[in-house]
Amino acid sequence: MKSLQEIIDGAKRLVFFGGAGVSTESGIPDFRSVDGLYSQRYAYPPETILSHSFFEVRPAEFFEFYRDRMLFPNAKPNKAHTWLAKFEETGRLTGVVTQNIDGLHQAAGSRRVFELHGSVHRNYCMDCGKFFPMETILHSTGIPRCECGGVIKPDVVLYEEGLDDATVRGALRVISQADVLIVAGTSLTVYPAAGFLDAFSGRHLILINRDPTPADGRAELVIHDKVGEVLDAVRI
């Protein structure tokens, strides 16, 4: 913790790259832990249900799973989200790059957030493009539809879909310009997001994760603990 404090005290352009482990302390389950989404039992594997092809062929079953397991309207920002929002106010946090779709960084007050996998708070009609909030999906039944008759699709990146180009460019830009990169709450096994670390050429790479990751050997500092607890102990 002393080393972490010293690195953050000297940071001029810090970027935070986070995954599902950042939001588990808010009560949102991750995917690959023992209690995660992929360890639960469904008629189809979650990665199949959350694919573009499944959405097209079995939309009713997709939305049943999506409402039940992907939407957490009562989740609140935790210590990690709050710390990052406060650190952004100092002007030394230049970006939050997240694989999460829950919008908790923005709820905590962060403004420069790059959502690689989209957001549950953005939904749009596939025919006319009209926007709908998360509540429209949450309180719908069957396949949610717009007044025009089109299917309302969540603006989240499903398996088999590509990432948004503008979001990718923005995320890679801030990572490449950072002198400190904190990677937290991610297994670093999902690509292309995991490959974003290759854009970092700064001085200090820090990894905070409950379990070991493939990139532990590349980091200057590795902390195996809860992200919120670690960040909350760092003075701003």
Side-chain angles (χ1 to χ4, degrees):
M1 290 304 301
K2 180 181 178 182
S3 298
L4 177 61
Q5 184 71 62
E6 290 174 350
I7 292 172
I8 290 179
D9 285 345
K12 295 181 179 179
R13 295 179 304 279
L14 186 148
V15 170
F16 181 86
F17 180 96
V22 177
S23 293
T24 53
E25 292 168 70
S26 294
I28 298 177
D30 63 6
F31 282 73
R32 290 173 173 79
S33 68
V34 174
D35 300 320
L37 196 61
Y38 285 1
S39 299
Q40 300 175 30
R41 296 292 180 262
Y42 299 95
Y44 300 91
E47 60 266 38
T48 297
I49 300 174
L50 295 174
S51 68
H52 180 81
S53 56
F54 191 92
F55 171 80
E56 288 192 321
V57 176
R58 299 177 179 269
E61 292 171 82
F62 168 88
F63 279 108
E64 181 181 6
F65 177 90
Y66 183 81
R67 292 186 196 95
D68 187 39
R69 296 298 178 183
M70 304 300 291
L71 300 181
F72 297 88
N74 298 320
K76 303 297 182 185
N78 61 50
K79 294 175 182 178
H81 301 107
T82 301
W83 187 91
L84 289 164
K86 290 180 179 179
F87 194 73
E88 186 181 44
E89 294 176 359
T90 70
R92 294 185 293 142
L93 177 69
T94 56
V96 171
V97 180
T98 180
Q99 299 175 78
N100 297 334
I101 59 176
D102 49 49
L104 291 181
H105 286 294
Q106 292 92 331
S110 291
R111 294 180 293 276
R112 199 174 191 192
V113 182
F114 299 91
E115 295 174 308
L116 297 180
H117 296 153
S119 173
V120 298
H121 296 281
R122 296 189 301 269
N123 305 273
Y124 63 93
C125 173
M126 297 178 68
D127 286 353
C128 73
K130 182 179 179 180
F131 170 85
F132 294 87
M134 176 182 67
E135 288 71 23
T136 299
I137 305 292
L138 186 65
H139 300 304
S140 65
T141 57
I143 303 171
R145 292 188 178 275
C146 175
E147 295 90 338
C148 75
V151 175
I152 302 172
K153 183 182 184 296
D155 187 16
V156 298
V157 179
L158 302 177
Y159 288 99
E160 304 166 353
E161 294 181 340
L163 304 185
D164 177 71
D165 286 342
T167 303
V168 169
R169 289 195 300 271
L172 291 174
R173 182 175 63 254
V174 295
I175 290 174
S176 67
Q177 295 171 349
D179 60 346
V180 178
L181 177 63
I182 297 179
V183 180
T186 173
S187 63
L188 293 176
T189 58
V190 177
Y191 284 83
F196 280 40
L197 269 65
D198 295 336
F200 178 66
S201 59
R203 296 181 58 193
H204 306 288
L205 175 61
I206 301 166
L207 284 176
I208 306 172
N209 197 52
R210 187 181 63 181
D211 303 313
T213 77
D216 282 10
R218 298 168 53 183
E220 173 182 351
L221 186 62
V222 177
I223 301 175
H224 291 152
D225 206 339
K226 294 181 179 179
V227 182
E229 297 298 327
V230 172
L231 292 181
D232 190 53
V234 177
R235 299 184 309 275
I236 297 176

